[in-house]
Amino acid sequence: MMTALKKWTIAVVCLLMLPALSEAGYKKEYKLSCVVGPKMPWGEGATLFADLVRERTEGRVNIKVYTAGSLMAGKQTNEFLLLKRGVADFAFASPINWSSTLKPLNLFNLPFFFEDYAALDKVTAGEAGKAIEAMIAKKGVTVLGWGENGYREITNSKRAIKTPADLKGLKVRVVGTPIFIDIMKSMGANPVNMNWGEAKIAFQQGVVDAQENPAVGIEIPLKIWQFHNHVSFWGYVIDPLMFTVNQKTWKKFSEKDRVIIRQAAVDAGRMQKAVVRKGLVAPDLSAHELMRENGMEVTVLSPEEKTAFRSLTEPVYKKWVPRIGEELVEKAKADMGN
């Protein structure tokens, strides 16, 4: 007959074994997709997240970061589908690359919608952000936290851009998302969709005049001054980033590890945002100075000058707000206090 002590001992051993049993189904390695290179703040944020997870789970969850779109053969717009299907377990992703599939994510692509960084933070942490996370969850992917690529600023090899007349007729390389074509056309530019490798050749040959990307996130790491000598800080679109995970993968983690992983995403996102925003907010405008030091003419648009461009994009709002969802747009406005 089993004694009370033996029963107690067996119960304790079983309890101690529970984490080991729950972790027995873990993969030796999890794949994280990131569309940019490892030395950009976006890529560094992905690596930071993976490192925090590995350290805080004491090696139970080992994430390998696949940079430069290597899991999707360079086709960025395929990332969401690959994550949903489990080709990738995690992704540190831009809504831009998912917005062709998930139309509500075009909220972040509305031109001149987010006045400043505080406005974006209010939306991602507010009711609109919760609605977006719920929408993505219904598709089989969980959002763990938010990072950032930054405001998309325009550079070119022709002239300073301060008014719509300065932009008119310029050939501008844009990302392969339909709303960006519409935005540029509405402001009088000639948008051209091509990958970055092709764009560099086009810049060198003078076939394409301009491009738009976040300054600290993309332009400075890529040394955009090799191709362009003008940059205009107009903040026309802001590009947040999302730490995400396939839900089937997510459900296999223990509750303890889910808490750790989610907090790692929050912490990595906070630190990554600070890097991307550094040098872009007065009194620290060192990012502007760095571009000047490398021969670029820096133009900073006033609120009134931005309004001149914003007024031309009304057709974009009329076309895209219904696709995004008027309720979501109103939630975002409420989050921002508008």
Side-chain angles (χ1 to χ4, degrees):
M1 183 176 239
M2 189 178 293
T3 66
L5 178 60
K6 283 184 178 180
K7 288 181 180 179
W8 179 84
T9 303
I10 291 171
V12 169
V13 170
C14 288
L15 285 172
L16 291 173
M17 287 178 65
L18 280 176
L21 290 171
S22 66
E23 293 153 18
Y26 283 18
K27 296 180 182 180
K28 290 183 178 179
E29 182 178 276
Y30 293 89
K31 296 178 179 179
L32 184 150
S33 171
C34 181
V35 305
V36 303
K39 294 184 179 180
M40 293 184 183
W42 182 347
E44 290 173 345
T47 300
L48 174 61
F49 168 67
D51 289 344
L52 290 176
V53 169
R54 186 180 302 107
E55 176 186 338
R56 293 176 182 181
T57 62
E58 298 178 325
R60 293 188 300 276
V61 181
N62 180 36
I63 300 172
K64 181 176 179 179
V65 179
Y66 288 78
T67 56
S70 56
L71 287 179
M72 64 201 79
K75 192 169 174 83
Q76 297 175 197
T77 52
N78 281 347
E79 186 176 53
F80 173 73
L81 295 177
L82 294 177
L83 180 61
K84 182 179 177 181
R85 292 170 184 167
V87 176
D89 301 291
F90 294 86
F92 189 28
S94 165
I96 290 175
N97 295 326
W98 293 13
S99 61
S100 295
T101 304
L102 304 175
K103 294 296 190 293
L105 290 179
N106 283 288
L107 172 72
F108 301 109
N109 302 333
L110 287 174
F112 305 100
F113 187 72
F114 294 92
E115 183 178 348
D116 52 28
Y117 294 113
L120 176 66
D121 290 341
K122 288 175 182 177
V123 168
T124 54
E127 293 305 311
K130 291 175 185 175
I132 286 170
E133 291 174 6
M135 177 271 296
I136 294 175
K138 288 180 180 178
K139 303 292 184 179
V141 171
T142 294
V143 177
L144 301 172
W146 294 83
E148 190 174 300
N149 197 23
Y151 275 110
R152 302 181 76 87
E153 316 294 6
I154 190 164
T155 70
N156 81 98
S157 60
K158 297 293 186 182
R159 53 185 173 265
I161 297 174
K162 202 167 186 178
T163 70
D166 299 323
L167 181 62
K168 190 172 180 61
L170 286 185
K171 291 183 180 179
V172 184
R173 181 266 179 183
V174 296
V175 295
T177 303
I179 191 172
F180 283 84
I181 302 290
D182 291 342
I183 293 170
M184 285 297 168
K185 285 183 176 179
S186 74
M187 294 189 293
N190 181 8
V192 181
N193 170 28
M194 59 176 60
N195 66 42
W196 189 251
E198 294 171 335
K200 288 193 295 184
I201 296 171
F203 298 151
Q204 291 167 342
Q205 294 177 342
V207 177
V208 174
D209 307 307
Q211 66 83 45
E212 48 76 55
N213 261 308
V216 174
I218 303 290
E219 291 172 351
I220 290 175
L222 290 180
K223 299 181 179 179
I224 196 63
W225 45 81
Q226 298 175 97
F227 314 108
H228 297 153
N229 55 355
H230 298 280
V231 57
S232 291
F233 285 87
W234 62 345
Y236 90 116
V237 167
I238 196 165
D239 188 11
L241 301 174
M242 305 175 294
F243 288 102
T244 58
V245 59
N246 173 285
Q247 281 183 4
K248 290 181 180 178
T249 297
W250 185 238
K251 290 175 182 177
K252 291 180 181 179
F253 293 127
S254 67
E255 180 60 31
K256 174 185 176 181
D257 284 338
R258 284 199 291 267
V259 171
I260 291 172
I261 295 167
R262 190 179 289 276
Q263 188 59 49
V266 172
D267 293 344
R270 184 181 65 253
M271 289 184 274
Q272 193 264 344
K273 284 181 189 178
V275 171
V276 169
R277 296 177 184 182
K278 183 174 174 55
L280 295 172
V281 181
D284 177 12
L285 295 176
S286 53
H288 294 198
E289 292 305 316
L290 178 60
M291 297 178 100
R292 286 194 182 97
E293 288 169 7
N294 283 280
M296 300 192 78
E297 180 181 348
V298 176
T299 301
V300 181
L301 273 65
S302 68
E304 293 75 21
E305 288 166 336
K306 291 181 185 180
T307 298
F309 286 97
R310 168 66 174 82
S311 64
L312 295 175
T313 65
E314 283 305 320
V316 177
Y317 278 78
K318 288 180 181 178
K319 178 178 179 178
W320 283 93
V321 167
R323 297 183 183 187
I324 294 166
E326 292 185 11
E327 184 179 350
L328 179 61
V329 173
E330 291 304 315
K331 282 182 178 180
K333 289 180 179 178
D335 288 338
M336 293 186 287
N338 295 346

